[in-house]
């Protein structure tokens, strides 16, 4: 297959383009993947896809057309630049009016989505020191669009921006002040678009009078929790980097800060080796010794695997403990919103987490909880529960498209 930007075989002549009115393209460039969505102005219609295994012989693009047809395009060895060219070629026929990028780290400067200019792009690149796996890939996405569509406006939506409303008591670390004022060492938080989206949805569907105070639990391979009051983040579990906080698929979450020097003295490990271990070999994978996928671990636990069971219990205990502590940030506690791959699909994990919070007077319907899987949205608290319980499937692409249009004044 040619590497040219426009490839005729990509076109979809059976598609009714009128369904995609003034669409916004959303790009989420990860370290080895690119997730994308083309979303109509009214948010009812979309085209989606994923470029995965970038840089490897198995690199490919999995694309779903407007009429639901599945396409797979092999790009052996293809990296971000080639994948982005192919993606833009797939979508050029739909005449998107803007591009919104998910950018992991926006530092202290950005508290909202911003239109891309030279300064913004340079800041995204500079902040790779805080997000080395993600910000460089995010910058590549911006530059790829600029090269092919220089006149189309682009917006960056930062994972960290939503949490810029945290007060100093939540975002400062108890370390020498100079490290904050001169080096900007502080808690930033992540998964901001997800926490913003699900907390807003919960406030729209609840019957409780506002302002609302939600604990939002984004649980997947990456996990974070946030305390959101009246639409503003007051505290969150992730910090300077996405390693802080909850136990995750391969990330440890909170550990003793003295662990690094202890492992260096005990095993001669370098800081880089310890960092890699805490990010890639810990969490559910490290405890179970099997996988970072909770479904695999649950199956093993059912078959009597003790380490798998311990991994599940630790994951749930630490999540429940964190949610309980984050409730201290809320002036009013309306309820908990579960989202993310685990939060949306594992009723047993939700039950385990709520059992950890047994002193809160939480009561729920087990059957309703079990029914809320596979993309279902709804509540499962009992009428006499002290707080509400919701499952809200996250839609970060929709949130990014919405913030992109708002930033550009398109709607």
């Amino acid at each position: 297959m040619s590497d040219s930007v426009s490839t005729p075989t990509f076109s979809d002549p059976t598609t009714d383009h009128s369904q995609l009115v003034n669409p916004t393209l959303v790009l989420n460039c990860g370290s080895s993947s690119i997730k994308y969505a083309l979303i109509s102005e009214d948010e009812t219609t979309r085209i989606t896809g994923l470029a995965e295994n970038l840089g490897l012989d198995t690199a490919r693009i999995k694309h779903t057309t407007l009429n639901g047809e599945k396409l797979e395009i092999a790009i052996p060895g293809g990296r971000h630049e080639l994948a982005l060219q192919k993606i833009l070629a797939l979508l050029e026929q739909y005449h998107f009016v803007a591009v919104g990028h998910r950018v992991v780290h926006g530092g202290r400067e950005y508290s909202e989505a911003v239109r891309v200019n030279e300064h913004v792009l340079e800041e995204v690149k500079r902040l790779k020191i805080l997000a080395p796996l993600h910000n460089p890939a995010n910058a590549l996405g911006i530059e790829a669009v600029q090269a092919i569509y220089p006149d189309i406006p682009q917006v960056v939506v930062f994972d960290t921006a939503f949490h810029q409303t945290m007060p100093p008591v939540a975002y400062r670390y108890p370390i020498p002040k100079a490290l904050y004022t001169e080096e900007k060492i502080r808690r930033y938080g992540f998964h901001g678009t997800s926490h913003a989206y699900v907390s807003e949805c919960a406030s729209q569907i609840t019957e409780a009078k506002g302002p609302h105070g939600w604990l939002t639990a984004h649980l997947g391979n990456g996990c974070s929790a946030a305390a959101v009051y009246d639409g503003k983040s007051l505290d969150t579990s992730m910090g300077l980097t996405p390693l802080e906080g909850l136990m995750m698929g391969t990330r440890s979450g909170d550990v003793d800060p003295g662990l690094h020097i202890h492992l260096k003295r005990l095993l001669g490990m370098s800081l880089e080796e310890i960092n890699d271990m805490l990010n890639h070999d810990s969490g559910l994978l490290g405890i179970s010794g099997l996988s970072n996928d909770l479904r695999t671990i649950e199956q093993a636990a059912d078959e009597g695997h003790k380490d798998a069971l311990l991994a599940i219990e630790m994951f749930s205990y630490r999540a429940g403990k964190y949610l309980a502590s984050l409730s201290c940030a809320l002036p009013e506690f309306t309820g908990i919103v579960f989202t993310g791959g685990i939060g949306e699909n594992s009723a047993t994990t939700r039950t385990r987490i709520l059992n950890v919070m047994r002193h809160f007077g939480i009561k729920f319907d087990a059957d309703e909880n079990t029914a809320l899987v596979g993309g279902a949205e709804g509540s499962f608290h009992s009428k006499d529960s002290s707080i509400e319980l919701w499952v809200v499937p996250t839609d970060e692409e929709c949130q990014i498209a919405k913030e992109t249009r708002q930033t550009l004044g398109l709607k």
Side-chain angles (χ1 to χ4, degrees), residues 39-46 398-399 401-402 405 411:
I39 302 175
S40 62
E41 187 176 65
D42 62 4
E43 300 176 359
T44 62
T45 309
R46 70 180 66 188
C398 182
Q399 181 72 15
K402 180 173 135 183
R405 293 194 302 271
K411 190 177 178 181

Side-chain angles (χ1 to χ4, degrees), residues 248-305:
M248 310 179 213
T250 64
R251 281 173 259 177
S252 64
D254 288 349
V255 295
D256 184 339
L259 178 64
H260 292 71
I261 189 67
H262 179 72
L263 290 177
K264 181 180 185 299
R265 290 168 175 166
L266 185 69
L267 301 175
M269 295 177 71
S270 68
L271 287 177
E272 289 74 20
E273 289 172 332
I274 297 167
N275 185 64
D276 285 346
M277 178 197 73
L278 294 176
N279 274 286
H280 304 298
D281 302 320
S282 301
L284 289 170
L285 173 62
I287 298 299
S288 71
L290 298 172
S291 174
N292 64 320
D293 190 319
L294 185 65
R295 293 166 295 187
T296 302
I297 296 171
E298 286 179 330
Q299 183 177 348
D302 289 341
E303 296 170 354
H305 195 292

Side-chain angles (χ1 to χ4, degrees), residues 2 9 185 224 286 332 358:
S2 167
T9 55
I185 305 299
S224 67
E332 300 287 340
R358 56 192 174 278

Side-chain angles (χ1 to χ4, degrees), residues 140-411:
L140 283 175
I142 295 169
E143 291 175 326
V145 175
Q146 282 180 337
I148 300 173
Y149 298 106
D151 297 326
I152 288 184
Q154 300 189 73
V155 169
V156 289
V157 179
F158 298 98
D159 258 12
T160 52
F162 180 64
H163 300 299
Q164 288 295 299
T165 52
M166 289 192 296
V169 292
Y171 71 68
R172 287 285 296 272
Y173 286 114
I175 56 177
K177 183 179 179 180
L179 289 174
Y180 168 69
T181 56
E182 298 174 18
E183 307 299 337
K184 301 179 176 61
I185 305 299
R186 52 158 286 180
R187 304 182 68 249
Y188 289 97
F190 299 89
H191 292 145
T193 51
S194 179
H195 292 295
Y197 178 83
V198 300
S199 59
E200 182 179 350
C201 284
S203 288
Q204 290 172 348
I205 57 183
T206 182
E207 294 181 0
K209 293 182 179 180
H212 304 113
W214 301 109
L215 295 181
T216 50
H218 179 107
L219 307 177
N221 189 50
C223 301
S224 67
V228 183
Y229 181 71
D230 197 19
K232 296 179 174 61
S233 174
L234 298 183
D235 201 354
T236 190
S237 58
M238 286 180 168
L240 174 71
T241 75
L243 183 59
E244 184 179 350
L246 306 179
M247 177 176 167
M248 310 179 213
T250 64
R251 281 173 259 177
S252 64
D254 288 349
V255 295
D256 184 339
L259 178 64
H260 292 71
I261 189 67
H262 179 72
L263 290 177
K264 181 180 185 299
R265 290 168 175 166
L266 185 69
L267 301 175
M269 295 177 71
S270 68
L271 287 177
E272 289 74 20
E273 289 172 332
I274 297 167
N275 185 64
D276 285 346
M277 178 197 73
L278 294 176
N279 274 286
H280 304 298
D281 302 320
S282 301
L284 289 170
L285 173 62
I287 298 299
S288 71
L290 298 172
S291 174
N292 64 320
D293 190 319
L294 185 65
R295 293 166 295 187
T296 302
I297 296 171
E298 286 179 330
Q299 183 177 348
D302 289 341
E303 296 170 354
H305 195 292
K306 291 184 178 179
D307 287 338
L309 179 59
L310 177 60
I312 294 168
E313 290 177 337
M314 284 181 62
F315 180 91
S316 302
Y317 173 71
R318 291 168 74 97
K321 184 171 71 168
Y322 236 110
L323 289 168
S325 66
L326 284 172
S327 70
C328 298
L330 296 174
E332 300 287 340
F333 189 3
T334 308
I336 302 174
V337 186
F338 292 94
T339 195
I342 295 172
E344 295 169 25
N345 294 297
S346 180
T348 56
T349 300
R350 294 194 295 259
T351 297
R352 287 178 182 273
I353 290 170
L354 295 172
N355 286 341
V356 172
M357 303 176 71
R358 56 192 174 278
H359 304 302
F360 279 70
I362 301 170
K363 298 180 181 180
F364 61 93
D365 186 298
D367 292 335
E368 290 180 356
N369 180 34
T370 301
L372 287 170
V373 294
E377 175 186 279
S379 64
F380 60 101
H381 53 273
S382 302
K383 290 183 179 180
D384 57 345
S385 178
S386 62
I387 60 168
E388 298 184 4
L389 303 170
W390 291 88
V391 175
V392 177
T394 193
D395 192 343
E396 294 174 272
E397 288 75 29
C398 182
Q399 181 72 15
I400 292 169
K402 180 173 135 183
E403 292 189 33
T404 296
R405 293 194 302 271
Q406 289 174 341
T407 300
L408 298 173
L410 296 177
K411 190 177 178 181

Side-chain angles (χ1 to χ4, degrees), residues 63-86:
H63 180 83
T64 302
T65 68
L66 193 56
N67 60 11
E69 181 186 356
K70 305 286 187 181
L71 302 177
E72 188 166 307
I73 302 155
I75 49 171
R79 299 186 180 275
H80 286 77
E81 294 90 343
L82 176 60
L84 284 161
Q85 288 178 1
K86 300 293 187 184

